[in-house]
Amino acid sequence: MPYWRLSAFYFFYFAALGTLMPYWGLYLQSLGFDPFAIGSLMSILMATKIVAPNVWGWLGDHLGQRMLIVRLASLLALLAFLAMPAATGFAEIALIMVLYSFFWNASLPQFEAVTFNYLGKAVERYSRLRLWGSVGFIVTVVLVGYLVDRHGAGVVLTALLLVLAGIFLSSLLVRDKPGIISTEAQPPILAVLKTPRIMAFFAAVFLMQMSHGPYYAFYSIYLQDFGYSKSSIGILWSIGVLAEVLLFVFMHRLMHRYSAALILQASLALAALRWLLIGYFPDVLALLVFSQLLHAASFGSFHAAAIHMVHGYFRGRHQGRGQALYSSLSFGAGGAVGTFTSGFLWEQWGAAFAYTMASAVALLGAWIVWRFNRITE
């Protein structure tokens, strides 16, 4: 298994997230956009995940050349983003965000399928590869925060351009790894999706990402309003992802001891607690740090358990579309609904209410997993 080549792609892909999630909202704010406009623009990053992974997932399953798709999508994302520095109006920025995020969001699900083909039966080793994505996130969130403090929000554009180039270059280092061809008869994918356990699973992951809306769109702006510097905000983001890295190191032990469904349920419950702490105690640094440590649950254990379940549910010719559906329905549809509605809630009723609603949504997801626990394993 080409450990370092696979890890390099994860490093740069999530380094892009480490620039976008904490600082893109600040960049949009520096252009004069209000909370509703920022929430609407941030939702584009999620909304393109509804369509893009499924289109490219269908191509990947039928053509079988997943890395060709990853390389093409990564290159087109880079080329589309080159137009961003010249854009200042809402419509211009929205159009460019649609274009580059459509291609950027296409690459990860296909790369995940290639990774699991390399892992074979050793799926528990996935977290050892994925942790390098978290390292990439930490590096950029701290470095870009420092640069934004010194030079302003405009450096976000340069940072994203460099990271997108890194994604494309790292994709050139990985070869395709065909999956094991199953000899078992497989039902149509719609029949698979109609099974109760899979419907419950997708409802839960949709709600988890929906609950992240206020966090992804406004966390940095929220802390800035309470007097935190950009560097401090970057450190708080990195604390969360560092907790995620540490969890990934030991995740294989948890997966051996507990069912993926139970881990998913616990992750949702802890996410609900996290949003309440952020919403009501932003001026209490100790609780803010603790809430960031809970990122190990709201993203780390959640994603590791979910990706494990997707790998089990979708086999053979459904593999690529299974990964794409997970990405599009959770990070895509759930994230888009969450970020869009959070902008409205934030502007109308304030931050505390937005985070309270996020907590309620996460609790609903935990209930769904608990209610259908016997059929989601």
Side-chain angles (χ1 to χ4, degrees):
M1 184 181 68
Y3 178 85
W4 292 110
R5 282 176 281 164
L6 293 171
S7 298
F9 183 88
Y10 284 113
F11 179 93
F12 284 108
Y13 187 91
F14 287 95
L17 275 179
T19 307
L20 279 169
M21 292 299 100
Y23 304 117
W24 193 246
L26 291 174
Y27 172 72
L28 295 174
Q29 187 184 51
S30 74
L31 297 179
F33 293 112
D34 61 27
F36 183 74
I38 292 171
S40 300
L41 287 169
M42 291 294 288
S43 70
I44 291 173
L45 297 172
M46 317 297 179
T48 52
K49 285 190 177 183
I50 301 172
V51 178
N54 293 295
V55 172
W56 297 89
W58 180 87
L59 285 172
D61 284 345
H62 282 76
L63 299 178
Q65 299 183 37
R66 300 190 190 280
M67 285 310 304
L68 177 62
I69 291 173
V70 171
R71 291 172 191 136
L72 178 61
S74 300
L75 176 61
L76 292 174
L78 173 61
L79 294 177
F81 191 78
L82 288 173
M84 186 62 77
T88 55
F90 182 91
E92 295 172 300
I93 292 175
L95 177 60
I96 297 169
M97 287 181 70
V98 167
L99 289 174
Y100 89 78
S101 63
F102 177 81
F103 297 118
W104 176 60
N105 285 326
S107 59
L108 184 62
Q110 298 308 304
F111 194 81
E112 297 274 39
V114 172
T115 295
F116 275 101
N117 287 339
Y118 274 108
L119 290 172
K121 294 182 179 180
V123 293
E124 70 279 357
R125 295 175 61 192
Y126 167 80
S127 59
R128 298 289 183 90
L129 287 164
R130 174 58 184 78
L131 69 84
W132 287 103
S134 303
V135 172
F137 189 104
I138 291 171
V139 170
T140 52
V141 81
V142 173
L143 181 58
V144 175
Y146 171 77
L147 292 174
V148 169
D149 255 343
R150 289 180 62 87
H151 304 291
V155 300
V156 175
L157 294 175
T158 304
L160 269 173
L161 187 63
L162 292 174
V163 171
L164 289 172
I167 294 173
F168 171 64
L169 293 174
S170 63
S171 72
L172 301 177
L173 303 176
V174 180
R175 295 181 180 180
D176 256 314
K177 173 71 172 178
I180 298 173
I181 299 175
S182 175
T183 57
E184 298 177 6
Q186 293 176 319
I189 194 164
L190 285 178
V192 176
L193 293 173
K194 288 179 181 178
T195 58
R197 64 176 184 172
I198 293 179
M199 291 175 65
F201 167 77
F202 279 127
V205 299
F206 171 90
L207 291 170
M208 173 63 104
Q209 291 309 314
M210 181 179 173
S211 78
H212 278 71
Y215 178 71
Y216 284 151
F218 297 107
Y219 185 67
S220 296
I221 295 172
Y222 184 47
L223 295 185
Q224 181 179 252
D225 290 343
F226 276 89
Y228 292 90
S229 68
K230 308 297 191 305
S231 297
S232 298
I233 293 169
I235 290 171
L236 282 167
W237 276 90
S238 65
I239 287 172
V241 185
L242 181 59
E244 172 192 316
V245 171
L246 295 175
L247 182 132
F248 278 142
V249 172
F250 300 103
M251 191 65 205
H252 64 288
R253 297 182 183 178
L254 291 176
M255 295 295 292
H256 279 303
R257 187 168 183 178
Y258 303 104
S259 71
L262 182 60
I263 294 173
L264 206 70
Q265 179 185 337
S267 300
L268 282 153
L270 290 171
L273 172 61
R274 184 187 184 195
W275 306 142
L276 289 177
L277 292 175
I278 294 174
Y280 288 94
F281 303 101
D283 53 344
V284 182
L285 184 58
L287 290 178
L288 207 57
V289 170
F290 178 68
S291 71
Q292 287 304 90
L293 293 176
L294 289 177
H295 186 76
S298 64
F299 183 85
S301 59
F302 161 79
H303 179 65
I307 206 81
H308 180 84
M309 295 169 77
V310 170
H311 182 65
Y313 291 155
F314 297 93
R315 297 285 190 173
R317 61 190 176 92
H318 298 327
Q319 184 185 35
R321 276 174 290 176
Q323 295 289 350
L325 281 166
Y326 165 61
S327 178
S328 63
L329 291 177
S330 59
F331 298 99
V337 171
T339 51
F340 181 78
T341 56
S342 68
F344 175 77
L345 295 175
W346 198 283
E347 194 164 39
Q348 295 297 317
W349 292 289
F353 184 80
Y355 277 110
T356 301
M357 291 298 98
S359 179
V361 166
L363 279 177
L364 176 60
W367 178 83
I368 288 175
V369 178
W370 173 79
R371 175 66 179 80
F372 296 98
N373 193 26
R374 293 183 179 180
I375 59 175
T376 55
E377 294 193 33

